[in-house]
Amino acid sequence: MISKSQAIEILNAGLATGADFVEIFIEEKYNNNLSIDNDKIETISSGIIYGAGIRLLRDLRSVYGYTNDLSKKSLLTLASTLAASFQGERILEVKKLTKQKVKNVHTTSRHLNEVTKEEKISFITKISDEMKQFGDKIVRRIVSFGDNTQKIVIINSDGKIFEDTRERGRLYISALTSDKNGIESSGVGPGASKGFEYFEKEIDALALARNVCEVAIKKLTAKECPSGKMPVVIGNGFGGVIFHEACGHPLEASSVSKNLSVFANKLGQQIAAPVVTAIDDGTIVNEWGSNNIDDEGNKTQKTTLIKDGILVNYLIDNFNGRRMGMKGNGACRRQSYAFEPTSRMSNTYIAAGKSTVDEIIKTVKLGLYAKSLGGGSVNPTTGDFNFAADEAYMIRNGKIAEMVKGATLIGNGAEVLLNIDMVGNDIKLAQGMCGASSGSIPVDVGQPTIRVSEITVGGRGGALK
Amino acid sequence: MIKLQKYFELAKCAGIEALEIYIVRNYSLGFSLFHGEIDSYTTNDSISLGARGIFNGKMGYAYSEKIDKSTPEFIIKNIVENAKNITSENKVSIFEGSKKYKKYNCYNKELDLIPVETKLNKLYELERKLKESDPRITEIGGVGYEETRGETILANSYGLRLSEKSNYYVFYAEAVAKDGEDTKTGYKTFLDCDFNKFDLDKFVEEVKDNTIKQLGGKPCKSKNYRAVLAPRVVSSLLSAMLNSTIAEEVQKHSSLFEGKLNTQVVSKKITISEKPLAHNIFFKGFDDEGVATYNKDIIKNGVLKTFLYNIETALKDGVQTTGNGYRSSSKSPVETGYNNIFLKPGKLSEEKMIGKVKNGIYIDSITGLHAGLNSQSGNFSLQATGFIIKDGKISDPVNLITVAGNLVKVFQDVTMVANNIELLTNATSVPSIAIKSIMVSGN
């Protein structure tokens, strides 16, 4: 890593042509991934992600560059190359750098990089073995475990140095089933900013594996989902991907600041039904999407985005905040040094309401219960979204009825927010990876069970009956 | 340049039977505009080393972007440690080398010589012309230029040394059109290595059209429609189907084509080839295991002609590798991939094809493939946009619909293949196709 005096020189090279802010982001990350496919360990991979990104800002312009060569010469060249894209006089000079205090709240007892590969393998093997009891219908069992330890240093022209170490692990369990009806699959992927104790003690990995098998087997005989507009009850946990895709992304300053979001200029306005309160909280201890500081050094925050249906805040990074006249709120993130950081979500969820799940299901005469969802995507400008149900049932006369497969929910984020008419009391978070311009980052989605009065459901099972 | 000798020496000492090193070096430059100003400017110079080696008959992998004195030791130590834990009984091998490799220069020096200012000015012009192209274009979501120079080096302990260099640039633009409360976005990219091939006015016209024509789009009636699929839609579905031609999927019983070699799997009108040696920017003379590539038909007149193999899956089936061993990055293990896919065009123009379909739907885009497609069963249900085809002509725009079907069935149901072949950024060259029926869910 570079010394303080070298950093000052590099920052000042970046400031030479009138930049008003320069930042060096240095990263060294150790990755380990292993997986078992049926009973065989086929690949294990270990490696280092290593490099530095330099960002220069001048008013509403940003320039960014990165390299793996962390020598002083290479970083000075990069800073000067970037500075050459501005034509101005120096307005700032860095004289002193002071290390800032970063408190690590995500403490761990068994560091993931200290657990041997043998122990991790025996852990995933045990899970894979547990899935054998479901017999021949399970044709493929894949269990993988990945962990990483990321050390970052952020040095900026405000004279500040931030250092932090982040540690994350994720287990992934999936089952593929096959019989005369075809092939189906199901999976689950719990993760945390925590050591190995989370996986061996705090979650019941074997129970999760059994459930994955049961769902994948049940799907074999499920009917194809009917299509049409219908009321949809969306289950808790990963069901929150609806809010993430349809509402979370359009609340990011990267699209709001350019007026490219359906929610731009709507602070203080009713954008959701009054039962909806939504929060982004990057501070939840040991949670998968949490950090002590964001990727520009701001402390992460708990930010209420929507309160009782009223839009009260956005997810803001310092740079996009300039265009909006607002300050960054700890939401600036990036996959690695190879990405210019921008506003992103952390752990984003719809807050708990008052209804029980039974009460919600009871209200639906004919509709869909999307118990858990797969992935999806959204166009942040129009708000049009789509996502697939992983486990879904029809609701008939207020009762959960037959399982259906192949359901896709599509709609418009702004509309769906207004159509959420019941919110349950069973809030739960679930882990995922979120991809956008600053790369793929760990996030939590979450919600209690909710009811949407009407969503277009796509499926291959013909008209709704 | 990285000195490789140290890696091979250490590997030998550690008892590694064969070692392969794969290095990717990348330079890139990119900028985007917003409201006539440079909004972002990025540049990079990066290098990444991936290595794998055989220890006690098992393959161990390791990679690093930190290239210094400590790297060889880290790499060799992890290869040994990882290989020790492998329990797969698959035979593995590192390739000694092909007799001959085809070459093609896909590095255009001219592109490097064009000053950044010229490229930037082109982008300013693009943004301005797009904004002025129609009063309903209210915002330019982003216009950008990116260029990449890449070099791949493959070396192994048998003395094989291969390298390939290429460069290309991309222009992209997103326009936002508004009509009252109705907002639509249109996006387009252009990719080449010859800067002079970029026809700015044509590009602007296409982005504008793509955007404006969607205005007023609403869901259509739910039912089965005869359909025409645009090239990018065909490309997405085709890529998903090609996943089933990968030998590993077949060996693991998750391919839709298991047991179907040399049988009719799709319509006779469909011929799909992999042409890694085609002379375009995606040319590749060797795969990521050092095997010389060659052009081949994967599906010919609807008949499945071959599965795609890398060395490991070929050893398992007792066949030759098809030169399809690819890594998705230097950090990933060798899997099976393909490069430069061609769907053989037909004779009809797209317009004539639409005329022949008479009444149906034109599917212009699909999204949600990563979630809405069950790659095992081939069943999909995807968000789509498009246009109603009425009396043989494109008419009302349609959005917020889902189209549902089965991947293989779509290609079995092909009634016509058009001649409007287009090279897309995912290295597929495909035309539009017409199919018997697709299930649409809208109103």
Side-chain angles (χ1 to χ4, degrees):
Chain A
M1 298 271 174
I2 53 172
S3 70
K4 265 192 194 181
S5 62
Q6 286 173 341
I8 290 176
E9 212 176 315
I10 295 159
L11 291 170
N12 284 326
L15 291 167
T17 54
D20 55 49
F21 179 80
V22 177
E23 170 196 81
I24 310 169
F25 178 90
I26 301 169
E27 172 181 23
E28 181 162 359
K29 185 180 185 185
Y30 285 78
N31 286 332
N32 271 302
N33 289 293
L34 28 95
S35 79
I36 184 163
D37 191 332
N38 284 341
D39 295 307
K40 303 289 182 214
I41 307 281
E42 293 194 350
T43 45
I44 305 175
S45 171
S46 315
I48 308 174
I49 302 291
Y50 180 80
I54 299 181
R55 180 162 68 133
L56 273 57
L57 304 182
R58 187 183 185 192
D59 301 323
L60 299 180
R61 286 177 62 183
S62 84
V63 296
Y64 192 77
Y66 64 90
T67 176
N68 315 108
D69 182 353
L70 297 198
S71 65
K72 178 184 152 193
K73 188 178 154 222
S74 147
L75 294 176
L76 265 178
T77 308
L78 178 57
S80 305
T81 309
L82 293 170
S85 64
F86 296 142
Q87 285 90 36
E89 297 288 311
R90 176 187 299 278
I91 51 168
L92 262 181
E93 191 174 347
V94 181
K95 298 215 164 80
K96 201 176 129 203
L97 293 171
T98 315
K99 198 173 156 190
Q100 308 294 303
K101 230 187 189 160
V102 176
K103 192 175 170 224
N104 180 25
V105 298
H106 311 291
T107 52
T108 281
S109 64
R110 291 199 68 198
H111 290 291
L112 293 163
N113 58 2
E114 288 166 10
V115 177
T116 62
K117 286 173 185 164
E118 286 76 10
E119 185 172 353
K120 289 171 190 165
I121 287 170
S122 103
F123 176 67
I124 58 173
T125 305
K126 210 165 89 190
I127 298 168
S128 175
D129 287 346
E130 179 76 10
M131 298 162 82
K132 280 186 185 166
Q133 62 184 282
F134 294 89
D136 293 348
K137 279 193 177 160
I138 308 270
V139 290
R140 201 164 167 190
R141 292 164 276 127
I142 303 174
V143 184
S144 61
F145 188 79
D147 62 79
N148 62 68
T149 305
Q150 182 199 35
K151 285 184 199 163
I152 60 159
V153 181
I154 303 167
I155 308 166
N156 68 31
S157 57
D158 297 339
K160 292 177 177 167
I161 302 178
F162 304 89
E163 285 183 27
D164 198 13
T165 299
R166 299 153 173 178
E167 180 175 352
R168 284 190 173 86
R170 194 170 187 208
L171 173 68
Y172 199 82
I173 306 171
S174 71
L176 213 70
T177 50
S178 168
D179 70 1
K180 59 182 192 317
N181 299 311
I183 305 176
E184 289 298 332
S185 63
S186 186
V188 67
S193 296
K194 204 170 188 179
F196 205 59
E197 70 271 21
Y198 176 78
F199 300 93
E200 50 176 2
K201 294 200 185 109
E202 294 171 29
I203 56 169
D204 187 346
L206 298 182
L208 289 172
R210 289 192 299 271
N211 185 54
V212 162
C213 292
E214 281 160 11
V215 172
I217 289 173
K218 241 172 27 181
K219 277 165 95 172
L220 282 172
T221 50
K223 281 194 204 153
E224 294 290 343
C225 182
S227 63
K229 285 192 172 175
M230 58 188 91
V232 177
V233 175
I234 303 170
N236 68 356
F238 206 74
V241 72
I242 181 181
F243 183 80
H244 172 97
E245 295 293 350
C247 312
H249 281 295
L251 290 174
E252 291 166 347
S254 47
S255 63
V256 173
S257 71
K258 293 183 179 174
N259 214 3
L260 293 173
S261 160
V262 280
F263 301 125
N265 306 312
K266 294 211 170 144
L267 279 182
Q269 292 182 31
Q270 182 97 32
I271 63 159
V275 286
V276 177
T277 289
I279 290 161
D280 181 87
D281 187 354
T283 70
I284 305 173
V285 174
N286 291 123
E287 200 53 57
W288 174 246
S290 296
N291 280 319
N292 295 309
I293 50 170
D294 72 1
D295 289 330
E296 55 185 352
N298 286 329
K299 262 181 98 169
T300 53
Q301 291 182 22
K302 178 175 181 178
T303 306
T304 301
L305 300 168
I306 299 171
K307 173 114 179 93
D308 303 327
I310 309 284
L311 178 63
V312 291
N313 213 336
Y314 297 112
L315 292 162
I316 309 168
D317 59 292
N318 286 344
F319 175 59
N320 282 298
R322 290 179 174 195
R323 220 186 280 278
M324 301 160 72
M326 292 171 87
K327 277 222 162 90
N329 51 16
C332 184
R333 301 183 67 186
R334 57 180 124 198
Q335 176 182 327
S336 74
Y337 70 91
F339 294 84
E340 183 175 3
T342 191
S343 47
R344 302 289 294 269
M345 286 174 264
S346 58
N347 307 300
T348 315
Y349 57 91
I350 297 177
K354 295 203 173 79
S355 311
T356 66
V357 179
D358 276 356
E359 281 165 7
I360 296 174
I361 300 280
K362 250 186 217 165
T363 61
V364 179
K365 222 170 153 214
L366 178 60
L368 186 75
Y369 173 42
K371 190 174 174 196
S372 79
L373 296 177
S377 63
V378 65
N379 175 331
T381 308
T382 61
D384 290 351
F385 67 79
N386 69 87
F387 42 99
D390 182 48
E391 184 182 355
Y393 302 84
M394 295 306 297
I395 307 175
R396 298 185 186 278
N397 296 318
K399 291 205 175 77
I400 296 173
E402 78 275 15
M403 188 188 218
V404 287
K405 62 185 174 191
T408 302
L409 311 185
I410 69 158
N412 182 279
E415 274 173 44
V416 162
L417 269 186
L418 292 164
N419 290 341
I420 297 175
D421 55 6
M422 289 181 91
V423 176
N425 57 8
D426 57 338
I427 170 79
K428 193 178 141 193
L429 298 176
Q431 295 74 47
M433 293 301 293
C434 166
S437 67
S438 67
S440 175
I441 56 167
V443 298
D444 268 28
V445 300
Q447 67 173 37
T449 301
I450 60 167
R451 192 183 102 133
V452 183
S453 57
E454 189 179 80
I455 290 188
T456 300
V457 176
R460 304 166 69 246
L464 179 64
K465 280 194 284 256
Chain B
M1 205 53 251
I2 304 176
K3 292 197 185 84
L4 298 178
Q5 205 43 45
K6 187 80 188 159
Y7 291 83
F8 294 119
E9 278 167 20
L10 277 180
K12 208 170 175 188
C13 291
I16 290 176
E17 298 153 38
L19 180 75
E20 176 188 272
I21 293 177
Y22 176 85
I23 297 168
V24 178
R25 176 131 213 195
N26 246 312
Y27 306 85
S28 76
L29 169 71
F31 29 82
S32 63
L33 303 180
F34 186 67
H35 289 178
E37 299 255 11
I38 298 179
D39 159 56
S40 114
Y41 177 107
T42 58
T43 172
N44 92 80
D45 172 358
S46 63
I47 190 160
S48 165
L49 180 148
R52 57 178 189 159
I54 303 173
F55 182 82
N56 280 344
K58 311 285 184 197
M59 190 74 86
Y61 278 88
Y63 60 87
S64 182
E65 294 178 338
K66 185 179 186 176
I67 312 288
D68 62 16
K69 280 196 310 240
S70 68
T71 318
E73 208 184 310
F74 171 85
I75 293 283
I76 300 304
K77 176 178 155 265
N78 275 282
I79 285 179
V80 171
E81 208 175 287
N82 291 345
K84 274 185 186 164
N85 281 303
I86 299 290
T87 60
S88 162
E89 280 138 27
N90 288 353
K91 268 202 225 157
V92 291
S93 169
I94 280 175
F95 190 61
E96 294 188 24
S98 297
K99 281 202 185 105
K100 257 192 173 168
Y101 294 92
K102 288 258 168 40
K103 290 206 162 154
Y104 169 69
N105 181 21
C106 32
Y107 189 82
N108 178 13
K109 273 188 204 147
E110 302 289 314
L111 185 60
D112 296 342
L113 299 176
I114 298 170
V116 173
E117 210 170 2
T118 309
K119 296 162 181 167
L120 196 53
N121 284 338
K122 200 70 153 178
L123 199 60
Y124 282 122
E125 191 186 342
L126 170 58
E127 192 194 31
R128 184 172 48 79
K129 286 193 165 161
L130 190 54
K131 187 82 210 296
E132 289 165 358
S133 65
D134 193 291
R136 288 165 293 176
I137 302 271
T138 54
E139 190 66 271
I140 307 302
V143 293
Y145 172 88
E146 277 171 27
E147 66 181 42
T148 301
R149 263 184 284 164
E151 186 178 8
T152 306
I153 297 165
L154 191 97
N156 68 30
S157 51
Y158 296 119
L160 185 68
R161 299 284 185 277
L162 295 168
S163 72
E164 228 161 43
K165 256 171 107 173
S166 67
N167 66 351
Y168 63 87
Y169 70 90
V170 188
F171 275 101
Y172 63 87
E174 188 191 58
V176 181
K178 274 195 179 152
D179 195 3
E181 278 293 286
D182 189 18
T183 305
K184 293 290 181 291
T185 61
Y187 184 79
K188 196 161 173 71
T189 56
F190 180 87
L191 183 75
D192 209 282
C193 65
D194 180 352
F195 197 73
N196 297 320
K197 285 221 178 117
F198 180 61
D199 183 342
L200 191 135
D201 292 324
K202 186 175 159 224
F203 185 80
V204 165
E205 199 59 24
E206 285 170 353
V207 180
K208 182 198 86 178
D209 279 353
N210 279 348
T211 317
I212 295 290
K213 70 182 185 185
Q214 297 177 55
L215 281 172
K218 49 178 196 271
C220 57
K221 216 177 134 203
S222 300
K223 63 169 191 167
N224 287 316
Y225 288 80
R226 293 168 97 182
V228 172
L229 312 180
R232 57 180 168 164
V233 174
V234 176
S235 161
S236 298
L237 295 176
L238 183 63
S239 304
M241 186 173 72
L242 283 175
N243 194 47
S244 275
T245 65
I246 288 173
E248 190 185 0
E249 299 298 323
V250 182
Q251 290 166 353
K252 292 193 165 153
H253 310 293
S254 41
S255 160
L256 302 166
F257 293 148
E258 188 178 349
K260 303 231 166 113
L261 199 62
N262 293 317
T263 66
Q264 186 89 32
V265 288
V266 293
S267 159
K268 277 186 185 159
K269 296 185 164 44
I270 297 290
T271 292
I272 300 162
S273 325
E274 192 213 13
K275 297 184 186 170
L277 301 176
H279 287 182
N280 64 25
I281 56 168
F282 298 111
F283 174 91
K284 265 196 132 349
F286 57 91
D287 73 0
D288 292 343
E289 301 189 286
V291 179
T293 61
Y294 58 95
N295 295 345
K296 55 186 137 328
D297 289 335
I298 303 172
I299 291 177
K300 191 172 184 187
N301 300 329
V303 175
L304 178 65
K305 301 305 283 183
T306 184
F307 289 119
L308 302 178
Y309 287 97
N310 60 22
I311 292 175
E312 186 174 334
T313 55
L315 283 170
K316 202 167 179 179
D317 278 8
V319 297
Q320 291 288 317
T321 168
T322 53
N324 288 90
Y326 285 106
R327 290 171 176 252
S328 56
S329 79
S330 53
K331 298 165 199 80
S332 322
V334 172
E335 292 174 331
T336 313
Y338 44 79
N339 188 32
N340 254 335
I341 293 294
F342 285 74
L343 173 59
K344 196 175 163 193
K347 294 205 169 75
L348 288 173
S349 68
E350 190 194 55
E351 199 185 343
K352 280 213 171 114
M353 194 166 83
I354 291 168
K356 286 197 164 193
V357 167
K358 238 177 193 152
N359 291 302
I361 193 163
Y362 180 90
I363 304 295
D364 190 39
S365 79
I366 49 173
T367 39
L369 254 181
H370 63 292
L373 169 79
N374 180 328
S375 60
Q376 272 84 42
S377 62
N379 291 338
F380 63 81
S381 175
L382 305 165
Q383 183 185 346
T385 64
F387 303 88
I388 292 294
I389 300 174
K390 201 176 153 192
D391 301 327
K393 294 234 152 46
I394 293 284
S395 77
D396 299 339
V398 172
N399 79 333
L400 283 184
I401 54 165
T402 60
V403 291
N406 182 283
L407 262 187
V408 181
K409 189 89 186 356
V410 163
F411 289 98
Q412 284 169 347
D413 283 352
V414 171
T415 55
M416 287 175 275
V417 179
N419 64 4
N420 56 333
I421 191 159
E422 199 177 323
L423 172 62
L424 301 167
T425 45
N426 64 350
T428 56
S429 302
V430 295
S432 304
I433 59 173
I435 57 172
K436 268 180 221 159
S437 153
I438 198 152
M439 187 159 42
V440 172
S441 171
N443 268 329

